[in-house]
Amino acid sequence: MSELNSRQEGAAVLVGVDFGLPHFDSELEELGLLAQTAGLSPVARLVCKRKAPDAALFVGSGKAEEIKELAAMHQASEVIFDQSLSPAQQRNLERQLDVAVYDRTFLILEIFAQRARSHEGKLQVELARLQYLSTRLVRRWSHLERQTGGAGVRGGPGEKQIELDRRMISESIKRTRERLAKVQKQRGTQRRQRERRETFNISLVGYTNAGKSSLFNALVKARAYAADQLFATLDTTTRNLYLGDARRQVSISDTVGFIRDLPHGLVDAFKATLQEAVDADLLLHVVDASNPHYPEQMAEVQSVLRDIGADTVPQLLVFNKLDALETAQHPLHLQDDMEIDGVRVPRIFLSARSGEGLPLLRAELARRSGSLGDTMTPEADTELHDTAN
């Protein structure tokens, strides 16, 4: 008990297993950022290679002992894996390591739970968490373990308890889905109202921390929360943007950022939020031009867009954070095109922070939206709806 008390609250050991996949983060940089965003303090990192996961301990017994020693050395109270763990692997690791063990999926869900502000966002996160929890009930805790009865008797009080817990979670999932359906219906009504007005709809999409909210604020002079951290924005915010060159207003939405290995439960749960992207007339795919891994991040965004059926929506690439590039890395031209999945896609380089390149973006948006809908008289950029309130 004294050893447990001596451990640092929130101190975490990060573990990554290289299975030979191209996107493996050998420095565990993104996992470290996720941990910090969730309020944890990474104190040590361990990377190992395997051909395949160990069925029982994911990393094997020898490496598990090494992790246990590392956690004890740094007085860590938690171990975070960069991959998803099965319920059995998580349970076995906790027993072996004698500390709390979490995976990447849980970490992302925890961040979403902390950051969700709107009623819809909270319901979506709650649904994803319940779905995740429902897979962790197989003898996960001691009070759920089977207690053997007398000779010839199978099961016991423990088996009844796990059935009860499953039923309770199943009912919670059903209630949450019903409540979410009502909110989604309201959002659908708002969307149809925009369609009747023949509004040109633009959605910002991109990898988390690419600067979508900063660009959104720069375009519409909004006060959407923007910070240099993962998942700074979770709730979709929509504003009217007046484009003087086209003499009309368009609707522009800032959506949740994507990330590698985004839990499928979250993709499903956030269908309503991501529906803004599906129904858009144009996607502004925002890319962090200063991140050396931007090609892999772009590929992840394209993968999620395919999952939600938004891959056929026209795109405009926006390479943001031009101000963070070295002078030698600056492009020769701020506007060109780039090939994505065999298709040439227009691209604009800019800095949402300094404003460089923003006039080019506004002009391109005016050109694309000018042929649709009626013109409007100039007026200040106004709020259409904001689910964060």
Side-chain angles (χ1 to χ4, degrees):
M1 183 64 70
S2 59
E3 181 185 351
L4 286 173
N5 291 336
S6 67
R7 289 177 181 147
Q8 300 178 43
E9 183 74 21
V13 173
L14 309 183
V15 179
V17 183
D18 184 1
F19 294 113
L21 299 176
H23 64 255
F24 179 69
D25 183 4
S26 59
E27 302 297 325
L28 298 181
E29 180 180 356
E30 191 169 85
L31 185 65
L33 289 173
L34 284 170
Q36 291 172 356
T37 303
L40 303 175
S41 301
V43 293
R45 304 176 189 222
L46 185 144
V47 173
C48 61
K49 289 187 176 183
R50 287 187 64 92
K51 291 184 179 179
D54 179 74
L57 294 170
F58 194 73
V59 292
S61 57
K63 192 59 65 175
E65 280 301 314
E66 188 177 339
I67 296 172
K68 183 175 182 178
E69 293 174 4
L70 193 62
M73 181 190 307
H74 292 275
Q75 298 181 328
S77 59
E78 300 170 63
V79 172
I80 312 292
F81 279 77
D82 197 27
Q83 290 89 1
S84 295
L85 301 172
S86 72
Q89 288 167 337
Q90 184 177 358
R91 181 189 70 244
N92 293 338
L93 281 166
E94 288 191 338
R95 290 175 175 172
Q96 182 84 3
L97 306 181
D98 202 26
V99 294
V101 174
Y102 303 115
D103 60 9
R104 182 185 179 89
T105 299
F106 176 86
L107 205 55
I108 294 174
L109 287 171
E110 186 65 22
I111 294 169
F112 273 55
Q114 294 174 7
R115 297 290 174 82
R117 292 292 179 267
S118 71
H119 179 54
E120 181 182 18
K122 290 176 180 178
L123 286 175
Q124 290 166 330
V125 172
E126 178 64 15
L127 178 58
R129 284 175 63 127
L130 286 169
Q131 290 171 332
Y132 176 83
L133 180 60
S134 67
T135 68
R136 307 279 137 174
L137 284 176
V138 184
R139 305 181 71 175
R140 172 77 170 86
W141 297 279
S142 59
H143 81 281
L144 299 178
E145 290 181 356
R146 175 176 295 182
Q147 301 174 12
T148 306
V153 179
R154 298 185 61 190
E159 190 169 32
K160 292 179 181 178
Q161 179 65 55
I162 193 171
E163 290 173 354
L164 177 62
D165 283 16
R166 278 180 175 151
R167 191 181 307 114
M168 289 174 62
I169 288 186
S170 177
E171 291 172 354
S172 295
I173 289 175
K174 182 180 178 182
R175 285 195 302 270
T176 304
R177 278 180 172 157
E178 290 172 351
R179 293 165 64 193
L180 189 55
K182 292 180 180 178
V183 178
Q184 291 171 347
K185 186 176 180 181
Q186 294 171 354
R187 180 182 286 277
T189 301
Q190 293 173 330
R191 189 176 297 113
R192 285 190 296 274
Q193 289 173 348
R194 295 204 301 272
E195 290 172 352
R196 282 198 296 270
R197 291 197 299 264
E198 294 185 338
T199 304
F200 188 85
N201 300 311
I202 302 170
S203 282
L204 297 173
V205 298
Y207 208 79
T208 183
N209 206 30
K212 295 187 309 303
S213 295
S214 296
L215 177 59
F216 182 77
N217 289 339
L219 285 172
V220 300
K221 301 178 180 62
R223 295 191 180 92
Y225 181 66
D228 185 18
Q229 58 185 208
L230 303 185
F231 300 118
T233 301
L234 292 186
D235 296 299
T236 296
T237 303
T238 301
R239 293 287 192 273
N240 281 339
L241 168 65
Y242 180 75
L243 298 171
D245 290 352
R247 292 178 54 82
R248 65 163 301 164
Q249 284 187 346
V250 298
S251 169
I252 185 167
S253 300
D254 183 20
T255 62
V256 61
F258 302 155
I259 196 169
R260 173 174 61 83
D261 299 330
L262 184 70
H264 288 294
L266 275 182
V267 174
D268 292 339
F270 275 76
K271 282 286 187 181
T273 301
L274 298 177
Q275 191 67 32
E276 297 289 345
V278 178
D279 294 337
D281 296 298
L282 176 67
L283 297 180
L284 293 189
H285 182 167
V286 184
V287 180
D288 180 357
S290 67
N291 192 309
H293 303 294
Y294 79 79
E296 291 87 353
Q297 294 181 347
M298 289 178 64
E300 290 296 332
V301 173
Q302 292 299 125
S303 176
V304 176
L305 290 176
R306 282 192 294 271
D307 288 343
I308 66 174
D311 53 317
T312 58
V313 180
Q315 287 190 35
L316 174 61
L317 290 174
V318 178
F319 271 49
N320 190 23
K321 304 190 181 181
L322 188 60
D323 56 304
L325 292 176
E326 299 291 337
T327 304
Q329 296 176 305
H330 275 233
L332 294 176
H333 305 284
L334 292 183
Q335 192 166 8
D336 60 12
D337 56 53
M338 179 182 184
E339 185 174 311
I340 297 182
D341 297 333
V343 178
R344 304 301 299 186
V345 180
R347 172 172 62 174
I348 292 177
F349 287 87
L350 57 76
S351 168
R353 177 176 294 179
S354 70
E356 183 180 5
L358 276 177
L360 275 176
L361 177 59
R362 280 181 169 269
E364 180 64 18
L365 294 180
R367 186 187 70 80
R368 292 191 175 228
S369 65
S371 60
L372 294 177
D374 300 326
T375 58
M376 290 186 173
T377 56
E379 56 185 73
D381 296 331
T382 56
E383 176 180 334
L384 185 59
H385 71 268
D386 184 348
T387 61
N389 292 329

mmCIF file of all heavy atoms in Angstrom, residues 338-376:
data_model
loop_
_atom_site.group_PDB
_atom_site.id
_atom_site.type_symbol
_atom_site.label_atom_id
_atom_site.label_comp_id
_atom_site.label_asym_id
_atom_site.label_seq_id
_atom_site.Cartn_x
_atom_site.Cartn_y
_atom_site.Cartn_z
ATOM 1 N N MET A 338 -2.274 20.462 -55.838
ATOM 2 C CA MET A 338 -1.584 19.294 -55.309
ATOM 3 C C MET A 338 -2.424 18.061 -55.612
ATOM 4 O O MET A 338 -3.656 18.122 -55.594
ATOM 5 C CB MET A 338 -1.392 19.455 -53.789
ATOM 6 C CG MET A 338 -0.708 18.302 -53.106
ATOM 7 S SD MET A 338 -0.597 18.607 -51.315
ATOM 8 C CE MET A 338 0.334 17.167 -50.795
ATOM 9 N N GLU A 339 -1.768 16.951 -55.874
ATOM 10 C CA GLU A 339 -2.495 15.731 -56.203
ATOM 11 C C GLU A 339 -2.910 14.970 -54.953
ATOM 12 O O GLU A 339 -2.097 14.718 -54.061
ATOM 13 C CB GLU A 339 -1.633 14.825 -57.092
ATOM 14 C CG GLU A 339 -2.371 13.577 -57.567
ATOM 15 C CD GLU A 339 -1.569 12.757 -58.563
ATOM 16 O OE1 GLU A 339 -1.049 13.346 -59.532
ATOM 17 O OE2 GLU A 339 -1.438 11.535 -58.350
ATOM 18 N N ILE A 340 -4.192 14.612 -54.871
ATOM 19 C CA ILE A 340 -4.722 13.774 -53.792
ATOM 20 C C ILE A 340 -5.510 12.639 -54.429
ATOM 21 O O ILE A 340 -6.494 12.878 -55.138
ATOM 22 C CB ILE A 340 -5.648 14.569 -52.840
ATOM 23 C CG1 ILE A 340 -4.880 15.683 -52.149
ATOM 24 C CG2 ILE A 340 -6.246 13.638 -51.788
ATOM 25 C CD1 ILE A 340 -5.725 16.464 -51.169
ATOM 26 N N ASP A 341 -5.085 11.420 -54.160
ATOM 27 C CA ASP A 341 -5.760 10.227 -54.693
ATOM 28 C C ASP A 341 -5.960 10.333 -56.210
ATOM 29 O O ASP A 341 -7.031 10.011 -56.744
ATOM 30 C CB ASP A 341 -7.117 10.021 -54.005
ATOM 31 C CG ASP A 341 -6.969 9.768 -52.511
ATOM 32 O OD1 ASP A 341 -5.908 9.257 -52.109
ATOM 33 O OD2 ASP A 341 -7.903 10.094 -51.759
ATOM 34 N N GLY A 342 -4.934 10.820 -56.893
ATOM 35 C CA GLY A 342 -4.977 10.887 -58.343
ATOM 36 C C GLY A 342 -5.717 12.081 -58.905
ATOM 37 O O GLY A 342 -5.890 12.185 -60.128
ATOM 38 N N VAL A 343 -6.166 12.996 -58.042
ATOM 39 C CA VAL A 343 -6.921 14.175 -58.488
ATOM 40 C C VAL A 343 -6.155 15.437 -58.101
ATOM 41 O O VAL A 343 -5.663 15.546 -56.967
ATOM 42 C CB VAL A 343 -8.335 14.199 -57.860
ATOM 43 C CG1 VAL A 343 -9.096 15.448 -58.299
ATOM 44 C CG2 VAL A 343 -9.105 12.941 -58.230
ATOM 45 N N ARG A 344 -6.031 16.385 -59.019
ATOM 46 C CA ARG A 344 -5.388 17.657 -58.712
ATOM 47 C C ARG A 344 -6.357 18.553 -57.938
ATOM 48 O O ARG A 344 -7.471 18.829 -58.385
ATOM 49 C CB ARG A 344 -4.961 18.374 -59.995
ATOM 50 C CG ARG A 344 -4.048 17.587 -60.914
ATOM 51 C CD ARG A 344 -2.745 17.175 -60.257
ATOM 52 N NE ARG A 344 -1.929 18.302 -59.822
ATOM 53 C CZ ARG A 344 -0.700 18.168 -59.326
ATOM 54 N NH1 ARG A 344 -0.173 16.943 -59.180
ATOM 55 N NH2 ARG A 344 -0.002 19.203 -58.944
ATOM 56 N N VAL A 345 -5.930 18.971 -56.753
ATOM 57 C CA VAL A 345 -6.779 19.780 -55.872
ATOM 58 C C VAL A 345 -6.130 21.146 -55.676
ATOM 59 O O VAL A 345 -4.931 21.218 -55.368
ATOM 60 C CB VAL A 345 -6.962 19.085 -54.498
ATOM 61 C CG1 VAL A 345 -7.839 19.935 -53.582
ATOM 62 C CG2 VAL A 345 -7.566 17.703 -54.679
ATOM 63 N N PRO A 346 -6.860 22.248 -55.845
ATOM 64 C CA PRO A 346 -6.300 23.592 -55.642
ATOM 65 C C PRO A 346 -5.783 23.757 -54.218
ATOM 66 O O PRO A 346 -6.354 23.211 -53.264
ATOM 67 C CB PRO A 346 -7.486 24.520 -55.910
ATOM 68 C CG PRO A 346 -8.430 23.714 -56.729
ATOM 69 C CD PRO A 346 -8.258 22.297 -56.287
ATOM 70 N N ARG A 347 -4.693 24.518 -54.082
ATOM 71 C CA ARG A 347 -4.075 24.708 -52.764
ATOM 72 C C ARG A 347 -3.690 26.169 -52.580
ATOM 73 O O ARG A 347 -3.223 26.828 -53.495
ATOM 74 C CB ARG A 347 -2.833 23.822 -52.631
ATOM 75 C CG ARG A 347 -2.022 24.085 -51.371
ATOM 76 C CD ARG A 347 -0.906 23.065 -51.187
ATOM 77 N NE ARG A 347 0.082 23.085 -52.260
ATOM 78 C CZ ARG A 347 1.203 22.361 -52.268
ATOM 79 N NH1 ARG A 347 1.462 21.552 -51.253
ATOM 80 N NH2 ARG A 347 2.046 22.423 -53.277
ATOM 81 N N ILE A 348 -3.902 26.646 -51.345
ATOM 82 C CA ILE A 348 -3.513 28.010 -50.972
ATOM 83 C C ILE A 348 -2.680 27.951 -49.699
ATOM 84 O O ILE A 348 -3.054 27.279 -48.732
ATOM 85 C CB ILE A 348 -4.752 28.903 -50.752
ATOM 86 C CG1 ILE A 348 -5.486 29.129 -52.080
ATOM 87 C CG2 ILE A 348 -4.356 30.250 -50.142
ATOM 88 C CD1 ILE A 348 -6.764 29.938 -51.942
ATOM 89 N N PHE A 349 -1.546 28.633 -49.700
ATOM 90 C CA PHE A 349 -0.712 28.757 -48.503
ATOM 91 C C PHE A 349 -1.090 30.054 -47.785
ATOM 92 O O PHE A 349 -1.239 31.110 -48.420
ATOM 93 C CB PHE A 349 0.774 28.813 -48.881
ATOM 94 C CG PHE A 349 1.340 27.504 -49.340
ATOM 95 C CD1 PHE A 349 1.250 27.123 -50.667
ATOM 96 C CD2 PHE A 349 1.980 26.655 -48.436
ATOM 97 C CE1 PHE A 349 1.775 25.907 -51.099
ATOM 98 C CE2 PHE A 349 2.507 25.446 -48.853
ATOM 99 C CZ PHE A 349 2.406 25.069 -50.194
ATOM 100 N N LEU A 350 -1.229 29.971 -46.460
ATOM 101 C CA LEU A 350 -1.551 31.177 -45.702
ATOM 102 C C LEU A 350 -1.149 31.036 -44.244
ATOM 103 O O LEU A 350 -0.733 29.958 -43.793
ATOM 104 C CB LEU A 350 -3.047 31.506 -45.810
ATOM 105 C CG LEU A 350 -4.097 30.457 -45.381
ATOM 106 C CD1 LEU A 350 -4.216 30.337 -43.871
ATOM 107 C CD2 LEU A 350 -5.452 30.800 -45.973
ATOM 108 N N SER A 351 -1.313 32.114 -43.527
ATOM 109 C CA SER A 351 -1.127 32.102 -42.080
ATOM 110 C C SER A 351 -2.346 32.742 -41.443
ATOM 111 O O SER A 351 -2.599 33.938 -41.625
ATOM 112 C CB SER A 351 0.142 32.875 -41.675
ATOM 113 O OG SER A 351 0.160 33.092 -40.272
ATOM 114 N N ALA A 352 -3.117 31.948 -40.714
ATOM 115 C CA ALA A 352 -4.296 32.490 -40.034
ATOM 116 C C ALA A 352 -3.877 33.487 -38.968
ATOM 117 O O ALA A 352 -4.631 34.407 -38.638
ATOM 118 C CB ALA A 352 -5.105 31.353 -39.409
ATOM 119 N N ARG A 353 -2.672 33.313 -38.450
ATOM 120 C CA ARG A 353 -2.197 34.203 -37.378
ATOM 121 C C ARG A 353 -1.788 35.568 -37.921
ATOM 122 O O ARG A 353 -2.190 36.610 -37.400
ATOM 123 C CB ARG A 353 -1.017 33.560 -36.653
ATOM 124 C CG ARG A 353 -0.397 34.436 -35.571
ATOM 125 C CD ARG A 353 0.699 33.706 -34.828
ATOM 126 N NE ARG A 353 0.164 32.596 -34.062
ATOM 127 C CZ ARG A 353 0.918 31.772 -33.325
ATOM 128 N NH1 ARG A 353 2.225 31.933 -33.277
ATOM 129 N NH2 ARG A 353 0.363 30.797 -32.657
ATOM 130 N N SER A 354 -0.973 35.596 -39.009
ATOM 131 C CA SER A 354 -0.477 36.869 -39.536
ATOM 132 C C SER A 354 -1.400 37.475 -40.583
ATOM 133 O O SER A 354 -1.338 38.668 -40.864
ATOM 134 C CB SER A 354 0.914 36.672 -40.143
ATOM 135 O OG SER A 354 0.842 35.907 -41.341
ATOM 136 N N GLY A 355 -2.239 36.645 -41.193
ATOM 137 C CA GLY A 355 -3.142 37.131 -42.232
ATOM 138 C C GLY A 355 -2.598 36.989 -43.637
ATOM 139 O O GLY A 355 -3.322 37.231 -44.617
ATOM 140 N N GLU A 356 -1.339 36.591 -43.778
ATOM 141 C CA GLU A 356 -0.764 36.419 -45.106
ATOM 142 C C GLU A 356 -1.521 35.326 -45.866
ATOM 143 O O GLU A 356 -1.727 34.237 -45.360
ATOM 144 C CB GLU A 356 0.715 36.041 -44.995
ATOM 145 C CG GLU A 356 1.409 35.920 -46.350
ATOM 146 C CD GLU A 356 2.882 35.552 -46.235
ATOM 147 O OE1 GLU A 356 3.339 35.304 -45.092
ATOM 148 O OE2 GLU A 356 3.563 35.501 -47.283
ATOM 149 N N GLY A 357 -1.934 35.617 -47.083
ATOM 150 C CA GLY A 357 -2.638 34.648 -47.911
ATOM 151 C C GLY A 357 -4.147 34.647 -47.730
ATOM 152 O O GLY A 357 -4.873 34.053 -48.548
ATOM 153 N N LEU A 358 -4.655 35.304 -46.689
ATOM 154 C CA LEU A 358 -6.110 35.323 -46.460
ATOM 155 C C LEU A 358 -6.891 35.991 -47.600
ATOM 156 O O LEU A 358 -7.962 35.502 -47.981
ATOM 157 C CB LEU A 358 -6.433 36.008 -45.128
ATOM 158 C CG LEU A 358 -6.347 35.143 -43.863
ATOM 159 C CD1 LEU A 358 -6.625 35.980 -42.630
ATOM 160 C CD2 LEU A 358 -7.314 33.973 -43.941
ATOM 161 N N PRO A 359 -6.387 37.090 -48.170
ATOM 162 C CA PRO A 359 -7.114 37.686 -49.305
ATOM 163 C C PRO A 359 -7.255 36.713 -50.478
ATOM 164 O O PRO A 359 -8.289 36.704 -51.152
ATOM 165 C CB PRO A 359 -6.237 38.892 -49.675
ATOM 166 C CG PRO A 359 -5.551 39.257 -48.398
ATOM 167 C CD PRO A 359 -5.266 37.948 -47.732
ATOM 168 N N LEU A 360 -6.228 35.897 -50.717
ATOM 169 C CA LEU A 360 -6.302 34.894 -51.782
ATOM 170 C C LEU A 360 -7.422 33.893 -51.504
ATOM 171 O O LEU A 360 -8.176 33.510 -52.406
ATOM 172 C CB LEU A 360 -4.976 34.143 -51.909
ATOM 173 C CG LEU A 360 -3.881 34.778 -52.775
ATOM 174 C CD1 LEU A 360 -2.616 33.931 -52.705
ATOM 175 C CD2 LEU A 360 -4.345 34.917 -54.210
ATOM 176 N N LEU A 361 -7.527 33.464 -50.242
ATOM 177 C CA LEU A 361 -8.566 32.504 -49.863
ATOM 178 C C LEU A 361 -9.944 33.111 -50.030
ATOM 179 O O LEU A 361 -10.858 32.480 -50.582
ATOM 180 C CB LEU A 361 -8.363 32.032 -48.421
ATOM 181 C CG LEU A 361 -9.426 31.077 -47.867
ATOM 182 C CD1 LEU A 361 -9.509 29.804 -48.708
ATOM 183 C CD2 LEU A 361 -9.146 30.725 -46.406
ATOM 184 N N ARG A 362 -10.128 34.335 -49.567
ATOM 185 C CA ARG A 362 -11.427 34.996 -49.700
ATOM 186 C C ARG A 362 -11.813 35.137 -51.176
ATOM 187 O O ARG A 362 -12.978 34.932 -51.547
ATOM 188 C CB ARG A 362 -11.386 36.373 -49.029
ATOM 189 C CG ARG A 362 -11.549 36.335 -47.509
ATOM 190 C CD ARG A 362 -11.511 37.744 -46.932
ATOM 191 N NE ARG A 362 -11.922 37.746 -45.537
ATOM 192 C CZ ARG A 362 -13.171 37.912 -45.124
ATOM 193 N NH1 ARG A 362 -14.144 38.056 -46.013
ATOM 194 N NH2 ARG A 362 -13.464 37.916 -43.842
ATOM 195 N N ALA A 363 -10.839 35.480 -52.003
ATOM 196 C CA ALA A 363 -11.125 35.635 -53.432
ATOM 197 C C ALA A 363 -11.530 34.307 -54.060
ATOM 198 O O ALA A 363 -12.453 34.251 -54.888
ATOM 199 C CB ALA A 363 -9.896 36.204 -54.147
ATOM 200 N N GLU A 364 -10.870 33.221 -53.650
ATOM 201 C CA GLU A 364 -11.197 31.906 -54.188
ATOM 202 C C GLU A 364 -12.579 31.459 -53.714
ATOM 203 O O GLU A 364 -13.351 30.877 -54.485
ATOM 204 C CB GLU A 364 -10.139 30.887 -53.768
ATOM 205 C CG GLU A 364 -10.361 29.473 -54.270
ATOM 206 C CD GLU A 364 -10.310 29.345 -55.787
ATOM 207 O OE1 GLU A 364 -9.778 30.255 -56.446
ATOM 208 O OE2 GLU A 364 -10.821 28.330 -56.305
ATOM 209 N N LEU A 365 -12.909 31.732 -52.453
ATOM 210 C CA LEU A 365 -14.233 31.387 -51.944
ATOM 211 C C LEU A 365 -15.310 32.190 -52.671
ATOM 212 O O LEU A 365 -16.393 31.664 -52.982
ATOM 213 C CB LEU A 365 -14.311 31.653 -50.437
ATOM 214 C CG LEU A 365 -13.421 30.788 -49.542
ATOM 215 C CD1 LEU A 365 -13.612 31.166 -48.080
ATOM 216 C CD2 LEU A 365 -13.718 29.301 -49.745
ATOM 217 N N ALA A 366 -15.021 33.457 -52.947
ATOM 218 C CA ALA A 366 -15.983 34.287 -53.678
ATOM 219 C C ALA A 366 -16.189 33.741 -55.088
ATOM 220 O O ALA A 366 -17.322 33.703 -55.594
ATOM 221 C CB ALA A 366 -15.479 35.727 -53.738
ATOM 222 N N ARG A 367 -15.104 33.315 -55.725
ATOM 223 C CA ARG A 367 -15.209 32.781 -57.087
ATOM 224 C C ARG A 367 -16.057 31.517 -57.117
ATOM 225 O O ARG A 367 -16.901 31.339 -57.995
ATOM 226 C CB ARG A 367 -13.818 32.487 -57.630
ATOM 227 C CG ARG A 367 -13.802 32.054 -59.095
ATOM 228 C CD ARG A 367 -12.427 31.615 -59.537
ATOM 229 N NE ARG A 367 -12.043 30.351 -58.920
ATOM 230 C CZ ARG A 367 -12.459 29.156 -59.355
ATOM 231 N NH1 ARG A 367 -13.298 29.077 -60.384
ATOM 232 N NH2 ARG A 367 -12.062 28.053 -58.757
ATOM 233 N N ARG A 368 -15.847 30.636 -56.113
ATOM 234 C CA ARG A 368 -16.559 29.365 -56.088
ATOM 235 C C ARG A 368 -18.034 29.535 -55.709
ATOM 236 O O ARG A 368 -18.874 28.755 -56.137
ATOM 237 C CB ARG A 368 -15.890 28.401 -55.123
ATOM 238 C CG ARG A 368 -14.518 27.949 -55.609
ATOM 239 C CD ARG A 368 -14.013 26.812 -54.765
ATOM 240 N NE ARG A 368 -12.762 26.318 -55.301
ATOM 241 C CZ ARG A 368 -12.490 25.031 -55.503
ATOM 242 N NH1 ARG A 368 -13.406 24.120 -55.235
ATOM 243 N NH2 ARG A 368 -11.316 24.647 -55.946
ATOM 244 N N SER A 369 -18.323 30.499 -54.878
ATOM 245 C CA SER A 369 -19.700 30.653 -54.403
ATOM 246 C C SER A 369 -20.505 31.632 -55.242
ATOM 247 O O SER A 369 -21.732 31.680 -55.150
ATOM 248 C CB SER A 369 -19.709 31.137 -52.952
ATOM 249 O OG SER A 369 -19.148 32.450 -52.856
ATOM 250 N N GLY A 370 -19.848 32.420 -56.095
ATOM 251 C CA GLY A 370 -20.516 33.510 -56.806
ATOM 252 C C GLY A 370 -21.562 33.070 -57.779
ATOM 253 O O GLY A 370 -22.513 33.811 -58.059
ATOM 254 N N SER A 371 -21.445 31.840 -58.293
ATOM 255 C CA SER A 371 -22.390 31.383 -59.304
ATOM 256 C C SER A 371 -23.637 30.748 -58.705
ATOM 257 O O SER A 371 -24.537 30.342 -59.424
ATOM 258 C CB SER A 371 -21.710 30.353 -60.217
ATOM 259 O OG SER A 371 -21.274 29.234 -59.446
ATOM 260 N N LEU A 372 -23.678 30.639 -57.360
ATOM 261 C CA LEU A 372 -24.823 29.999 -56.717
ATOM 262 C C LEU A 372 -25.599 31.008 -55.882
ATOM 263 O O LEU A 372 -25.026 31.834 -55.189
ATOM 264 C CB LEU A 372 -24.357 28.852 -55.796
ATOM 265 C CG LEU A 372 -23.704 27.660 -56.497
ATOM 266 C CD1 LEU A 372 -23.248 26.656 -55.455
ATOM 267 C CD2 LEU A 372 -24.668 27.002 -57.466
ATOM 268 N N GLY A 373 -26.901 30.912 -55.926
ATOM 269 C CA GLY A 373 -27.747 31.685 -55.018
ATOM 270 C C GLY A 373 -27.839 33.157 -55.399
ATOM 271 O O GLY A 373 -27.259 33.643 -56.357
ATOM 272 N N ASP A 374 -28.608 33.891 -54.593
ATOM 273 C CA ASP A 374 -28.818 35.305 -54.834
ATOM 274 C C ASP A 374 -27.731 36.105 -54.154
ATOM 275 O O ASP A 374 -27.152 35.697 -53.155
ATOM 276 C CB ASP A 374 -30.188 35.739 -54.286
ATOM 277 C CG ASP A 374 -31.315 34.976 -54.953
ATOM 278 O OD1 ASP A 374 -31.171 34.662 -56.150
ATOM 279 O OD2 ASP A 374 -32.321 34.682 -54.273
ATOM 280 N N THR A 375 -27.446 37.273 -54.675
ATOM 281 C CA THR A 375 -26.494 38.162 -54.031
ATOM 282 C C THR A 375 -27.142 38.786 -52.817
ATOM 283 O O THR A 375 -28.358 38.857 -52.693
ATOM 284 C CB THR A 375 -26.048 39.274 -54.997
ATOM 285 O OG1 THR A 375 -27.192 39.992 -55.438
ATOM 286 C CG2 THR A 375 -25.322 38.671 -56.197
ATOM 287 N N MET A 376 -26.278 39.242 -51.891
ATOM 288 C CA MET A 376 -26.787 39.835 -50.657
ATOM 289 C C MET A 376 -26.142 41.197 -50.452
ATOM 290 O O MET A 376 -25.044 41.474 -50.941
ATOM 291 C CB MET A 376 -26.454 38.943 -49.451
ATOM 292 C CG MET A 376 -27.218 37.635 -49.407
ATOM 293 S SD MET A 376 -26.877 36.754 -47.869
ATOM 294 C CE MET A 376 -28.023 35.409 -48.002
#
